Amino acid sequence: MTKRRLPMAEHADTLSLKALRELVTGLVARADRAEIRIEALEADNRKLREENDQLRIENTRLKVDNQLLRDEIARLKNLPPRPPFRPSGMEQATSDKAVAGSRKPARRRGPKGDTGSATRQEVLPASVPPGSRFKGYKDCVVRDLVVRAEVVRYRRECWVTPEGRTIIAPLPQG
């Protein structure tokens, strides 16, 4: 097919009927080709959108897997866990409701806060006369500063003699 371009100066009223038919036929053919190209482009666009949706889903899944693996690595390295995601608080500041009584209980501080975390436990035997009954232990927690803080629980044996006297194992020197 040969493309015939008409000069701009020519007008439709000066064209012959044959030239006018050729012009209309050429424009119709060109419109058909453009429509076919548009349909092909729309099909490609649909296909690319579907592929993009699949890739986004895959990307989200990989991000979740990656974060799980990072958390596992941190756990194996005994690193602190990731802090929880909290909202910024802007929603609460603009809401009508006032949040009251949502304070956390204060964490216990001081020497009584570490009684459950003894780094070493020693059982101290008591010298008792024969025939005495074992009555359990009396715990005594001693906090000592070595190079690091060390909490030692001494389990002192308690005995009751046949005469009814209670004997508790003595603490070590120091």
Side-chain angles (χ1 to χ4, degrees):
M1 290 192 185
T2 60
K3 290 186 180 179
R4 184 173 168 219
R5 296 226 177 229
L6 297 174
M8 291 297 228
E10 289 188 49
H11 295 288
D13 53 347
T14 60
L15 290 176
S16 67
L17 188 59
K18 183 179 174 189
L20 199 55
R21 280 190 185 139
E22 285 180 12
L23 178 64
V24 169
T25 307
L27 289 174
V28 167
R30 217 168 148 193
D32 289 342
R33 286 193 307 269
E35 190 174 317
I36 291 171
R37 278 194 4 238
I38 288 172
E39 287 174 359
L41 288 173
E42 285 175 348
D44 287 345
N45 189 11
R46 253 191 317 276
K47 183 176 136 189
L48 289 174
R49 282 183 188 269
E50 291 170 3
E51 187 177 327
N52 189 18
D53 290 342
Q54 290 173 353
L55 289 175
R56 281 186 187 205
I57 292 170
E58 179 71 14
N59 188 18
T60 304
R61 189 186 63 76
L62 288 174
K63 282 182 181 180
V64 169
D65 289 349
N66 190 5
Q67 189 58 54
L68 290 173
L69 290 173
R70 285 176 186 248
D71 291 344
E72 179 69 12
I73 289 169
R75 186 188 64 80
L76 292 173
K77 287 184 175 181
N78 292 326
L79 296 175
R82 201 167 40 117
F85 174 75
R86 293 189 191 108
S88 67
M90 292 298 291
E91 295 82 18
Q92 293 175 356
T94 58
S95 70
D96 295 335
K97 301 180 234 166
V99 179
S102 63
R103 296 189 60 184
K104 292 190 285 182
R107 198 179 100 212
R108 188 173 183 121
R109 296 177 168 224
K112 293 182 181 162
D114 61 357
T115 56
S117 61
T119 56
R120 188 173 82 220
Q121 182 170 326
E122 293 184 16
V123 177
L124 303 175
S127 56
V128 294
S132 301
R133 293 183 321 189
F134 182 71
K135 298 296 282 183
Y137 296 98
K138 294 277 184 195
D139 289 344
C140 179
V141 178
V142 176
R143 216 163 152 210
D144 196 11
L145 185 68
V146 185
V147 174
R148 63 197 183 312
E150 183 176 43
V151 178
V152 180
R153 175 180 288 131
Y154 291 104
R155 300 202 76 189
R156 301 164 54 198
E157 290 182 351
C158 298
W159 294 82
V160 175
T161 64
E163 297 85 37
R165 213 178 76 209
T166 301
I167 298 176
I168 300 174
L171 289 171
Q173 294 297 326

